[in-house]
Amino acid sequence: MRAFGFLSFGHYGHAAAHGGLSARQMLHDAIDISVGAEELGVNGAYFRVHHFATQSASPMPLLSAVAARTQRIEVGTGVIDMRYENPLQLAEEAAALDLIADGRVALGVSRGSPEPADRGWEAFGYTGSTDPRGADIAREKFELFLRAVRGEPMARASQQPYGAPVQPGAGLRIEPHSPGLIQRIWWGAGSRDSAETVGRQGLNLMSSTLLTEATGASFGELQAEQIDRFRSAFAEAGHTHRPRVSVSRSVFPVVTQQDALMFGLRSGSGADQIGIIDGHRSTFGRTYVGEPDQLVEQLRADAAVMSADTLMLTIPSQLGVELNLHILENFAQHVAPALGWQPNTAGPVEGDPAQP
């Protein structure tokens, strides 16, 4: 681990008038947390995307606002649900964001997690899926999105092109185009097989907050194997750049008595959990709570954390700016340096060389 960022689910409540967090306040808090995190040296600000829920959605306006208010912190998603997206519009928006952010984007996309709505993507106009989870249309859209991001022609010029200096019938790419964006695209993989696919495509790996596998191995061990298989597939496919890898964890350093009262370990949260998601027996990661020395020892023993270049800390963003920056500051001051952390002032985060 060389870098860490925060992963916000963007929760808010319906009863803002009675003290709950409104959508407006959630968005403003997200920007303020990002600005404060950059000042602490945190490397990334990442946001979950969910639909038909009181959580963060439509991430491009938020990410653009964060990028405009910051200079060093990476901005991204974990993850955009491709079932709900127009691939070409997403490619336009992602390129514009990457240009605004001067290449600080880490755009995580995937098939998406379970949602409150039954086949909610159909309400957005995306029909035709024969998979109850919509995985088929997500993959088709993702392939088209990648082609657009690479700058391949997506349309042909008319016989009398209006408003563009192109020849009739010429291939037209999506504009704007950001040449380096393709190397800043991540796929959120929930299994070892999907990680291998990501490696063959030459993309970055965002290992999911849960794995749709349960072999008896710990969550960290499963993820470490997933990362190894990703890097091997990446190298065997002939890709030569250094791919990025991230994992996410809930980590709460206990530095003060108030920390102990606020983050006291709940029953069962200190161990991996097994459950059923989308019909698959799945493994969920544990929550780490403890004094800094304990956390350093435990995280060093987490094979996936030490194998990844970036650790995303899931934060209770609905509890406000001050508390979340306190969590990030505690981790930056008392835990991260012992794990190999380099603050954002050291420059952009690099991945590890892939080995076959």
Side-chain angles (χ1 to χ4, degrees), residues 1-286:
M1 187 208 95
R2 291 185 298 281
F4 83 91
F6 68 84
L7 176 61
S8 170
F9 286 64
H11 292 290
Y12 56 93
H14 293 290
H18 302 287
L21 196 67
S22 68
R24 176 194 176 279
Q25 190 63 53
M26 178 274 291
L27 291 166
H28 281 268
D29 282 2
I31 297 169
D32 290 342
I33 292 171
S34 301
V35 171
E38 177 173 83
E39 294 173 355
L40 294 172
V42 176
N43 308 89
Y46 315 102
F47 299 90
R48 289 288 295 268
V49 180
H50 283 289
H51 301 282
F52 298 107
T54 52
Q55 297 183 46
S56 182
S58 188
M60 292 306 176
L62 173 58
L63 294 179
S64 295
V66 171
R69 290 276 306 276
T70 58
Q71 294 181 327
R72 298 182 304 276
I73 198 168
E74 191 171 64
V75 297
T77 51
V79 292
I80 293 174
D81 189 332
M82 285 304 299
R83 298 172 297 183
Y84 287 80
E85 296 294 328
N86 178 314
L88 302 191
Q89 182 176 352
L90 180 61
E92 287 180 340
E93 292 178 344
L97 171 64
D98 199 49
L99 295 171
I100 291 170
D102 293 326
R104 290 183 287 128
V105 169
L107 201 70
V109 299
S110 81
R111 186 269 295 177
S113 61
E115 295 281 328
D118 180 19
R119 300 177 71 90
W121 55 90
E122 294 183 349
F124 277 53
Y126 303 121
T127 59
S129 172
T130 59
D131 184 332
R133 301 179 302 157
D136 49 355
I137 63 170
R139 280 289 181 184
E140 291 171 6
K141 289 182 176 191
F142 184 56
E143 293 298 331
L144 183 58
F145 169 71
L146 290 180
R147 289 174 54 204
V149 168
R150 291 188 179 106
E152 296 180 23
M154 294 288 108
R156 292 291 169 187
S158 67
Q159 290 305 305
Q160 294 182 316
Y162 177 78
V166 296
Q167 295 296 317
L172 301 177
R173 73 184 185 185
I174 288 295
E175 297 288 354
H177 175 68
S178 183
L181 177 60
I182 189 62
Q183 292 193 8
R184 292 186 278 279
I185 304 299
W186 305 59
W187 180 265
S191 70
R192 291 166 293 179
D193 289 343
S194 60
E196 289 183 346
T197 300
V198 179
R200 287 191 290 269
Q201 291 176 308
L203 305 173
N204 302 302
L205 175 67
M206 192 170 286
S207 188
S208 176
T209 52
L210 62 90
L211 296 178
T212 54
E213 300 170 304
T215 66
S218 71
F219 185 71
E221 291 168 343
L222 279 173
Q223 276 192 317
E225 182 185 350
Q226 182 193 42
I227 293 169
D228 287 344
R229 289 170 64 166
F230 159 75
R231 288 180 173 143
S232 294
F234 186 98
E236 290 167 1
H239 304 295
T240 57
H241 60 281
R242 297 163 69 113
R244 295 278 304 283
V245 175
S246 72
V247 298
S248 61
R249 296 288 187 273
S250 295
V251 183
F252 299 100
V254 175
V255 178
T256 67
Q257 186 175 6
Q258 183 180 5
D259 295 335
L261 293 173
M262 180 69 70
F263 309 124
L265 193 60
R266 294 171 297 175
S267 176
S269 61
D272 293 341
Q273 301 176 61
I274 305 296
I276 303 296
I277 293 290
D278 276 357
H280 295 274
R281 191 164 181 261
S282 305
T283 306
F284 303 78
R286 57 173 291 185

Side-chain angles (χ1 to χ4, degrees), residues 36-37 163 196 204 261 299 321 339 349:
E196 289 183 346
N204 302 302
L261 293 173
L299 290 169
V321 176
L339 301 176
V349 182

